[in-house]
Amino acid sequence: MDKNVNLRAAILSDIHLRDSFVRRRFLTRGLKNIKKRDYDLFVTLGDTTDHGNKTAWFAAQRLLEAVRPAKRSLAVIGNHDTWNRDARKPGQSEIDASLPLFLDFLRKTSGIVSKTAWYKAEVKGVPFIVLGTVGDSVGGKLGDEQLVWLDEALKEAAKSEGFIFVLSHWPLKNTHGLPKTFGEKELNENKCSWGDESDKLNAILQKYDRVVLLSGHSHMGWVPHEKLRIRGFSSVEVVGNILSVNLPCCSINHDGYLLPGYGLDLTVTPDAAVFRLRNFILPGSPAVDKLTIEKK
Ligand SMILES: [Fe+2]
């Protein structure tokens, strides 16, 4: 990373936009507040839509195009984004019906042309590696092709000396209190994370230094230190050689103690990554918590 690089990003997860005036107003207000802070990058970390149908994707696209919350924008696919039940034809899977809409949204809002839900991007010299699912269940499905690609992408990103941000809607299994924190006791550990491919994914991530895995999906609010675990959950975990940070949901968190509208404000300097919890909906809302990761 260039010595002078100082990236600022606003990251929201689990927006769950649906055909609702209130939800559109809510997101519009958040995007406008983000724009006022002059960020380099806006990220929606999956479950941008409540159901990945045309109406929801077009609504999200129109809002992003109208407000342009940051200089650059990246989008990650989440499980709700793949649940396009409206468009499913006989024999067609929900992911097949949803993926073209996600890729079109990505192209129009990020300028990124990709044939897959996984891709990489560089913003002000900072590498972002985006994971995507090839399935349409509540957990993510990587597939062998993506795992091979990921290893190559990390190898390339590791040539620079800065942090490598891996953006993924799903956390690794058994992290951030999963599977218990997902709220459905009958779900096993493989159903609400990267599941039975999680160990393979983790093995690849562990090979590289300075990897920060950012995820959402849990809707568990923000518990910024491992020592403060609530019901086994903390938002920040050291997993071997990597740091895993699980974002609060921007709409409804399970525990209900965190109001809607929260996301993370990220500043990347050559020596550190600083996360601040911030409510992007409430005007003038100050950052309420701060997590600094210094480069080894
Ligand atoms: Fe969600």
Side-chain angles (χ1 to χ4, degrees):
M1 189 169 72
D2 187 300
K3 281 185 179 170
N4 300 315
V5 167
N6 199 355
L7 172 81
R8 293 178 62 248
I11 311 171
L12 296 181
S13 188
D14 297 87
I15 292 168
H16 286 271
L17 188 66
R18 64 166 75 154
D19 192 14
S20 146
F21 173 75
V22 173
R23 294 228 181 180
R24 283 196 303 274
R25 279 292 298 268
F26 182 80
L27 180 58
T28 304
R29 177 180 278 205
L31 295 177
K32 285 183 175 175
N33 283 336
I34 287 169
K35 188 181 178 79
K36 284 179 193 164
R37 294 184 178 276
D38 197 27
Y39 288 99
D40 301 299
L41 174 65
F42 167 73
V43 177
T44 170
L45 200 59
D47 285 4
T48 305
T49 65
D50 210 28
H51 287 92
N53 54 27
K54 231 177 203 177
T55 309
W57 281 121
F58 279 7
Q61 179 196 319
R62 278 196 300 270
L63 290 184
L64 276 170
E65 286 177 338
V67 179
R68 296 194 177 277
K71 296 177 188 79
R72 292 279 306 273
S73 175
L74 296 176
V76 183
I77 200 165
N79 50 304
H80 276 259
D81 298 323
T82 69
W83 295 344
N84 180 5
R85 286 158 195 160
D86 294 353
R88 190 158 51 150
K89 298 171 190 165
Q92 185 185 36
S93 67
E94 292 190 30
I95 181 68
D96 287 346
S98 309
L99 185 62
L101 297 172
F102 169 75
L103 295 177
D104 200 45
F105 172 81
L106 181 69
R107 183 172 60 81
K108 286 175 176 157
T109 59
S110 304
I112 290 170
V113 178
S114 176
K115 290 180 179 169
T116 60
W118 65 89
Y119 61 93
K120 58 184 180 177
E122 194 175 283
V123 183
K124 292 188 80 176
V126 178
F128 290 86
I129 297 174
V130 179
L131 301 183
T133 188
V134 295
D136 48 27
S137 50
V138 71
K141 173 97 183 113
L142 291 155
D144 291 341
E145 185 187 347
Q146 182 171 189
L147 286 166
V148 170
W149 168 87
L150 171 65
D151 204 0
E152 284 301 313
L154 284 165
K155 197 183 294 177
E156 184 65 29
K159 289 177 184 170
S160 71
E161 294 181 354
F163 291 100
I164 303 168
F165 292 93
V166 177
L167 307 180
S168 161
H169 183 64
W170 294 270
L172 293 165
K173 76 177 182 183
N174 296 325
T175 61
H176 305 293
L178 287 174
K180 283 183 188 167
T181 46
F182 206 71
E184 295 184 54
K185 286 176 187 164
E186 67 271 19
L187 290 177
N188 67 35
E189 65 179 11
N190 285 332
K191 282 196 174 172
C192 42
S193 61
W194 285 111
D196 57 5
E197 294 168 302
S198 191
D199 291 342
K200 284 186 191 172
L201 169 61
N202 192 28
I204 294 169
L205 297 174
Q206 295 298 327
K207 289 164 60 178
Y208 301 93
D209 294 328
R210 305 179 305 280
V211 171
V212 181
L213 175 67
L214 299 182
S215 63
H217 188 56
S218 294
H219 291 223
M220 280 298 289
W222 180 249
V223 183
H225 305 289
E226 288 197 74
K227 287 178 185 168
L228 298 176
R229 283 171 179 267
I230 294 175
R231 294 210 321 253
F233 174 82
S234 84
S235 309
V236 184
E237 286 189 27
V238 175
V239 183
N241 196 35
I242 71 166
L243 186 81
S244 181
V245 179
N246 189 248
L247 271 76
C249 168
C250 179
S251 45
I252 307 295
N253 286 286
H254 292 319
D255 271 12
Y257 70 91
L258 195 65
L259 288 169
Y262 277 95
L264 289 185
D265 168 313
L266 166 66
T267 299
V268 186
T269 71
D271 302 317
V274 182
F275 291 96
R276 294 179 178 88
L277 181 69
R278 187 181 289 283
N279 193 309
F280 290 105
I281 306 297
L282 301 173
S285 168
V288 294
D289 210 340
K290 183 176 166 183
L291 168 73
T292 302
I293 310 156
E294 291 181 352
K295 211 165 75 178
K296 286 184 202 169

